Amino acid sequence: MKRRQFLTAAGAGVATAAIAKPAIAQSAPEVKWRVTSSFPKSLDTIYGASDTLAKYVAEMTDNKFQIQAFAAGEIVPGLQAADAVTNGTVEMCHTASYYYVGKDPTWAFGTAVPFGLNARQQNAWFLAGGMDLLNEFYGGYNIHALVGGNTGCQMGGWFRKEIKTVADVSGLKMRIGGFAGRVLTKLGAVPQQIAGGDIYPALEKGTIDAAEWVGPFDDQKLGFNKVAPFYYYPGWWEGGAALQFMINKPKWDALPKQYKAVLQAAAALADTEMTAKYDSRNPGALKQLVAAGTQLRPFPQEVMEACYKAANELYAETTAQNAKFKKIHDHMMAFRNDEYLWWQVAEYTFDNFQIRARARG
Ligand code: CA
């Protein structure tokens, strides 16, 4: 009797050992998703975040959770990526939240707002409650978002003529996105919404006077230096432009806890990788642009001050009209002020010394 019990128990043990697989195989269903990007494959630094996400999600789940990446236009146009997530056409997208300010200006905070945060600060804000606030807002659009990269501080863009005074901004036809365009409107500029691929011919023909895109590495690829000689900085409307992976909320809610963790880890990796790629690629591109004749210019102080004043007017108007905007605006700007209190001590002093030391050789 005892011997039989022992054999049965031992047999069960052997059987369990024989069929035991890694925990992942027991709890991991097969999941196949599509991620539609707002970007073309030619802009590999920014588009590449989708490939990075897909690669690590597959490897971390032994290919049980597969995400296929599609470039802008393959499933839906780049600027309809979030809508495709809201209505469930795709499970997720990789996009810039501020493309959708036409729905509500509150969408701007997920990417960048004029005189907002730099890249480090933007990520710190996400962690310090910003992403929870954004997801509360995105929830109204059936979306749950994860971090998806950051370009770092962008350039102010390509200008056919020099900007020496605030008066030079008046009448300027500039390709610039949503909320930042509204700031420039206050200075008399005429902002234009033009997709990336259409900027070059518009600038070449003089249909527009100026265009902003990203920074040296991406801008050089699109060839803007051939049609506009002056390259201004900084892009005060994008001190650290963040991207998002946006997920259809019911799809997110239905994922096993393990897959949620995998997605978050892969997104965080893609996020860090994008900033690192831009930081490593921009210096070489900048050197090549300048060697080819590009004229680098900082925006004059009076132009920066006028834009800052105009941005604050726009914030005052928008917060008075829009409670959702006000809630996130107030949280982010309080955070920004504390960040710069800290930044002016060690970070700025170190960077400032290093920049001067490098120039001395
Ligand atoms: Ca830009």
Side-chain angles (χ1 to χ4, degrees):
M1 183 68 185
K2 279 186 180 172
R3 182 175 145 79
R4 185 178 300 160
Q5 280 177 338
F6 172 78
L7 285 173
T8 306
V14 168
T16 304
I19 61 162
K21 289 180 180 169
I24 193 169
Q26 293 173 11
S27 61
E30 300 257 353
V31 174
K32 284 190 164 58
W33 278 13
R34 299 190 298 173
V35 56
T36 185
S37 175
S38 284
F39 310 100
K41 286 182 180 167
S42 56
L43 295 176
D44 57 322
T45 307
I46 199 160
Y47 173 82
S50 291
D51 281 343
T52 296
L53 178 94
K55 174 177 180 280
Y56 283 97
V57 166
E59 289 182 4
M60 283 192 271
T61 61
D62 201 19
N63 288 321
K64 293 278 186 180
F65 187 0
Q66 292 185 21
I67 300 172
Q68 193 178 355
F70 293 86
E74 288 185 326
I75 301 174
V76 292
L79 300 184
Q80 290 170 27
D83 299 275
V85 172
T86 294
N87 63 31
T89 303
V90 290
E91 292 81 9
M92 68 189 297
C93 73
H94 183 240
T95 192
S97 178
Y98 68 3
Y99 287 155
Y100 312 97
V101 292
K103 299 176 193 297
D104 186 319
T106 312
W107 283 83
F109 293 108
T111 295
V113 291
F115 301 100
L117 305 171
N118 70 26
R120 282 256 309 270
Q121 295 165 353
Q122 183 82 8
N123 255 339
W125 178 67
F126 287 153
L127 273 177
M131 192 54 95
D132 289 341
L133 285 175
L134 289 173
N135 272 325
E136 184 183 298
F137 172 75
Y138 294 142
Y141 298 86
N142 218 20
I143 283 170
H144 179 84
L146 303 176
V147 293
N150 197 304
T151 65
C153 189
Q154 298 199 0
M155 290 293 282
W158 299 87
F159 291 69
R160 286 161 62 93
K161 290 178 186 163
E162 276 191 275
I163 300 296
K164 292 180 175 167
T165 66
V166 177
D168 292 335
V169 179
S170 186
L172 197 75
K173 281 180 284 180
M174 179 168 181
R175 184 273 174 195
I176 185 167
F179 200 68
R182 295 184 203 174
V183 175
L184 284 178
T185 302
K186 286 182 173 288
L187 301 181
V190 187
Q192 316 274 317
Q193 296 271 16
I194 301 175
D198 300 328
I199 299 172
Y200 183 95
L203 203 52
E204 185 181 35
K205 286 178 202 149
T207 314
I208 54 174
D209 306 305
E212 73 86 37
W213 183 241
V214 180
F217 184 74
D218 284 345
D219 292 5
Q220 186 186 32
K221 281 190 173 188
L222 294 180
F224 301 141
N225 54 306
K226 294 171 198 158
V227 286
F230 301 103
Y231 197 19
Y232 275 88
Y233 61 90
W236 43 262
W237 51 94
E238 294 180 272
L243 294 306
Q244 283 81 42
F245 289 108
M246 293 185 176
I247 303 165
N248 178 270
K249 197 160 186 312
K251 292 285 183 183
W252 168 257
D253 290 342
L255 277 184
K257 193 176 169 189
Q258 178 198 351
Y259 282 7
K260 287 182 180 171
V262 163
L263 262 185
Q264 283 176 304
L269 198 149
D271 184 59
T272 306
E273 184 184 79
M274 187 190 296
T275 311
K277 280 184 179 174
Y278 274 115
D279 281 343
S280 66
R281 292 169 173 183
N282 276 332
L286 184 64
K287 283 189 214 172
Q288 287 173 10
L289 287 167
V290 170
T294 287
Q295 304 280 307
L296 273 181
R297 297 279 189 280
F299 285 123
Q301 184 70 13
E302 72 160 72
V303 172
M304 291 291 289
E305 295 287 355
C307 293
Y308 185 75
K309 184 167 171 282
N312 285 339
E313 285 170 12
L314 184 62
Y315 288 137
E317 291 160 15
T318 314
T319 52
Q321 295 163 358
N322 184 329
K324 288 176 182 173
F325 185 95
K326 183 179 190 317
K327 184 176 181 181
I328 300 182
H329 168 274
D330 290 357
H331 189 271
M332 178 189 264
M333 293 310 177
F335 189 82
R336 177 194 66 179
N337 293 340
D338 270 352
E339 285 296 294
Y340 276 109
L341 179 150
W342 153 234
W343 224 263
Q344 75 184 56
V345 180
E347 297 282 0
Y348 175 77
T349 309
F350 180 67
D351 286 345
N352 194 30
F353 179 84
Q354 294 286 80
I355 288 163
R356 288 165 192 275
R358 187 202 68 83
R360 286 199 305 266

